[in-house]
Amino acid sequence: MVILAQDPSFRALAYSLYDGKDTIYIDNSSYSLGDGIGFSKIYEACDDLFNQYVSRLNSIGVGDKILVDVLASEVPPPVGQFSAGLYALDTYVISNLWRKYESIKEVYVISPSYLGTVHGTAKYSKSDSTKLAKYFINEVLKDDFKIILPDNISASGRKTKGTLNNDRAESFLFLLRMFCKYDIKGYHDRIMSEMRGLGYEAEQLLCSR
């Protein structure tokens, strides 16, 4: 089973992809909205982010060697200064992925309160998510999974080692939720023994085929 878990935002549309074998790819796209945000700017940003996203997915073989079965995506809070813009991004990305990758059989949306449940408090910081994700990558999954983070390349062409930023980390935690749901490689009990909150069923089936 191939699973794609994502954490959509304009700053970093982050994703974690499990290829159904032993590799997890973690990456993100980004777009700077700047000032003067209106309908046209939001649509432009959604389109640009989605095209970046698809380019990254295609570069690792999605749609060819890797056929996604399940998509999981966090939804934004229902209220907030920029909730409307984030819902536009969610809708644009999910609907276009569903159309583009016909291998996707199920799409789940994950409650915006899920990570608060995982951390045991609604006042968690994003750095808490990064620490937790690093722990699972370095200690829990290290023997059975290969984690790939792409190198960073600056405008001048300088290459530096890829890092696990906060947004990438949270997409990885959503992937772990799906690992629990489908007991990927028998890891349900192992994940639950480390962090019981990851077993909380915060997802709802949005569509299937």
Side-chain angles (χ1 to χ4, degrees):
M1 175 178 287
V2 177
I3 304 172
L4 176 60
Q6 63 186 27
D7 179 16
S9 73
F10 291 100
R11 180 187 62 189
L13 198 174
Y15 73 85
S16 294
L17 172 75
Y18 168 57
D19 73 348
K21 298 175 183 176
D22 58 6
T23 303
I24 296 171
Y25 299 88
I26 306 175
D27 198 0
N28 67 267
S29 306
S30 61
Y31 187 96
S32 179
L33 282 172
D35 299 322
I37 301 170
F39 176 80
S40 296
K41 188 65 174 289
I42 292 295
Y43 183 85
E44 176 187 310
C46 291
D47 189 59
D48 187 275
L49 275 169
F50 180 74
N51 288 332
Q52 287 185 52
Y53 190 12
V54 168
S55 177
R56 283 169 166 77
L57 292 175
N58 289 349
S59 73
I60 58 176
V62 172
D64 181 17
K65 295 179 294 183
I66 301 175
L67 301 178
V68 177
D69 297 298
V70 175
L71 170 65
S73 181
E74 185 192 36
V75 296
V79 293
Q81 185 176 6
F82 201 55
S83 288
L86 291 173
Y87 270 99
L89 177 62
D90 257 33
T91 302
Y92 193 97
V93 170
I94 292 173
S95 61
N96 279 287
L97 286 175
W98 176 255
R99 284 197 294 266
K100 183 172 182 61
Y101 299 117
E102 295 182 357
S103 63
I104 298 175
K105 301 177 183 68
E106 297 175 332
V107 177
Y108 287 92
V109 288
I110 298 175
S111 167
S113 66
Y114 173 65
L115 290 176
T117 301
V118 170
H119 293 296
T121 174
K123 296 181 179 180
Y124 72 93
S125 69
K126 282 187 170 290
S127 63
D128 294 331
S129 294
T130 303
K131 291 174 185 176
L132 182 59
K134 284 181 176 178
Y135 172 75
F136 271 90
I137 289 171
N138 296 328
E139 302 296 333
V140 182
L141 305 185
K142 63 180 181 178
D143 293 331
D144 293 310
F145 298 91
K146 178 181 180 182
I147 310 297
I148 296 181
L149 285 157
D151 291 334
N152 300 312
I153 302 176
S154 69
S156 64
R158 183 171 178 268
K159 183 184 290 187
T160 56
K161 186 177 177 60
T163 56
L164 187 72
N165 60 35
N166 295 336
D167 300 285
R168 290 174 174 180
E170 294 194 338
S171 76
F172 178 75
L173 296 181
F174 300 142
L175 181 65
L176 290 182
R177 167 61 210 139
M178 293 294 105
F179 269 38
C180 285
K181 183 177 186 67
Y182 293 104
D183 195 20
I184 299 300
K185 285 194 171 185
Y187 259 76
H188 174 275
D189 291 348
R190 178 74 188 277
I191 292 171
M192 290 287 288
S193 69
E194 299 286 349
M195 180 61 76
R196 293 201 63 82
L198 288 166
Y200 173 59
E201 295 184 15
E203 70 280 354
Q204 295 291 332
L205 181 65
L206 179 66
C207 55
S208 63
R209 58 185 165 200

